[in-house]
Amino acid sequence: MTRYGTTRDELAELLADEPRYRVDQVWDALWRRRVPLETATELPGALRARLAEALPLALTPLTEQTDADDLTRKWLWAAGDAQVETVLMRSPRRASVCVSSQAGCAMGCTFCATGQAGFERHLHADEIVEQVLRAQHASPQRVTNVVYMGMGEPLANYDEVWSSVELLHTELGISARRITISTVGVVPGMRRLAHEGLPVTLAVSLHAADDALRAALVPLNHRYPIAEVLDAAADVAGATGRRVTFEYAGIAGVNDQPMHAEALARLLSAWPGVGGAHVNLIPLNPTGGFPGRASPSRALHDFARRLRARGVTATVRRTRGASIDAACGQLRRRPLIPPEGSPSTTMDPCANTGS
Ligand code: SAH
Ligand code: SF4
């Protein structure tokens, strides 16, 4: 039993010898007020100590990095024998947490450091939710948004991911539309999403408008080609009423030329999804195992102009700095501040977000 993997009923059982209102108090502190147990001083010290022992945290921080303006903060956690990363990104109007859904990833996208490192294990719902709460504890602002864009493919770990979404929605009160699930195109998972009651936001990592090129970047495309992915995405948009975002990592000379933009514009301007398509252009974050380089900024701005000319909205994200809304999705080989005695290679799924 972990602190954020315990239901209210289980907590009540644990506190059976305490006055009834203690259960509400503890639950309120953990989930509604979102404070660390140690600072919930309305609870007697002995009770806090007892809870800390009975309900341990699932994540142990290994490293923590903060950018110069303290708007972006990243953690590398030990979750049992696995390591995962979380990023907090703040702006005046929102605070977003980018969570990992798996340690590693089995999808093998060639340009992605998580994919290059391979799959370790699925994360449990409590490990996902705890990432949000631990980031909240460090954030002066209330966390308003959660994006599943850290390590892993969320729809390949559907049940645990969906349980975590329900907890975020029901217990933390984060509205479903402020929860974004990013997928590389796991079509069966997308179909399931379309039948859920909560209208979460969907992001689809596209990266190419034709199957041959996409399959070279995203091996899963052999199983679920572009047409099927777009069809499933339209299904989700129809069910949720939410505009779908398409992620596109610009790789110099590979997928960022005018002909690629025109092909993507044709594909997405004809896409029937409710709310239309929005394209997020992100310069590739170079990784050790992939020879590609980032698209120059002017290529991406030209790409975006071509999309807009055909009625497809598009934004260009910066790779680094405190760009709050930057997409996540890359492991970095080395943490900025390696802890003493730690291995020299660790993971950073969200290197696009800053520092
Ligand atoms: N597995 C899911 C979510 C995690 S990856 C998915 O693929 O959508 C989150 C995002 O980071 C994806 O859009 C992914 O394509 C992107 N990404 C991965 N590696 C990247 C890199 N080297 N540079 C830029 N974006 C990258
Ligand atoms: Fe997995 Fe997403 Fe990386 Fe592909 S881009 S390997 S799906 S984490």
Side-chain angles (χ1 to χ4, degrees):
M1 228 159 47
T2 65
R3 197 161 304 168
Y4 298 104
T6 303
T7 64
R8 209 189 174 108
D9 287 345
E10 288 165 342
L11 182 68
E13 214 169 295
L14 185 71
L15 300 182
D17 55 342
E18 294 277 340
R20 274 304 292 170
Y21 66 87
R22 288 285 183 225
V23 179
D24 294 335
Q25 256 183 336
V26 173
W27 197 259
D28 209 65
L30 293 181
W31 294 94
R32 301 284 140 76
R33 290 174 48 228
R34 308 180 185 175
V35 296
L37 185 59
E38 308 74 65
T39 65
T41 45
E42 70 276 21
L43 303 170
L47 177 60
R48 268 180 280 145
R50 187 179 143 205
L51 285 170
E53 195 171 307
L55 303 177
L57 290 164
L59 307 174
T60 309
L62 295 176
T63 63
E64 187 176 330
Q65 302 162 22
T66 306
D67 70 356
D69 48 15
D70 193 22
L71 291 174
T72 306
R73 199 181 272 219
K74 301 186 215 186
W75 293 264
L76 174 71
W77 312 101
D81 51 7
Q83 295 188 356
V84 293
E85 279 232 352
T86 307
V87 182
L88 167 70
M89 298 160 279
R90 297 192 294 118
S91 69
R93 286 180 33 227
R94 66 168 86 173
S96 305
V97 180
C98 173
V99 294
S100 296
S101 57
Q102 300 177 313
C105 182
M107 296 300 159
C109 302
T110 51
F111 54 88
C112 170
T114 310
Q116 290 157 16
F119 178 72
E120 222 175 316
R121 73 166 171 89
H122 294 302
L123 294 188
H124 301 295
D126 61 330
E127 294 170 319
I128 299 171
V129 166
E130 189 175 314
Q131 293 173 60
V132 177
L133 281 152
R134 300 290 286 272
Q136 175 69 79
H137 297 165
S139 170
Q141 285 162 254
R142 206 161 163 84
V143 170
T144 54
N145 295 60
V146 175
V147 296
Y148 287 73
M149 289 192 183
M151 292 166 74
E153 167 50 48
L155 298 185
N157 182 19
Y158 195 96
D159 292 336
E160 296 296 324
V161 163
W162 194 257
S163 299
S164 70
V165 166
E166 286 181 324
L167 283 167
L168 295 177
H169 178 263
T170 311
E171 302 302 344
L172 284 192
I174 295 176
S175 99
R177 62 197 175 79
R178 290 172 182 270
I179 300 176
T180 299
I181 295 192
S182 178
T183 182
V184 73
V186 178
V187 167
M190 295 167 77
R191 302 276 183 209
R192 278 179 78 179
L193 266 190
H195 291 98
E196 301 286 1
L198 293 176
V200 295
T201 299
L202 179 71
V204 175
S205 300
L206 204 55
H207 310 307
D210 79 87
D211 281 314
L213 177 57
R214 188 164 190 268
L217 299 169
V218 174
L220 190 70
N221 199 78
H222 291 295
R223 184 116 151 247
Y224 304 115
I226 294 172
E228 276 186 47
V229 172
L230 290 186
D231 189 65
D235 216 13
V236 176
T240 61
R242 308 276 311 144
R243 183 174 80 168
V244 172
T245 297
F246 293 91
E247 305 287 330
Y248 199 99
I251 310 169
V254 172
N255 67 353
D256 67 346
Q257 299 299 296
M259 66 175 218
H260 300 120
E262 297 298 340
L264 185 64
R266 273 195 302 278
L267 192 68
L268 293 183
S269 59
W271 183 66
V274 171
H278 179 83
V279 176
N280 238 341
L281 295 161
I282 316 139
L284 178 84
N285 243 314
T287 56
F290 182 73
R293 284 175 301 109
S295 298
S297 161
R298 102 190 101 67
L300 289 186
H301 284 284
D302 176 67
F303 200 105
R305 262 194 305 279
R306 288 171 191 275
L307 291 174
R308 289 185 200 117
R310 299 236 189 194
V312 177
T313 65
T315 37
V316 179
R317 305 280 182 199
R318 279 173 295 161
T319 311
R320 274 160 203 285
S323 56
I324 299 317
D325 252 340
C328 319
Q330 193 206 16
L331 298 152
R332 185 162 44 215
R333 287 300 174 207
R334 212 166 19 86
L336 286 182
I337 316 154
E340 292 218 326
S342 76
S344 63
T345 57
T346 50
M347 306 181 173
D348 176 1
C350 298
N352 286 338
T353 51
S355 81

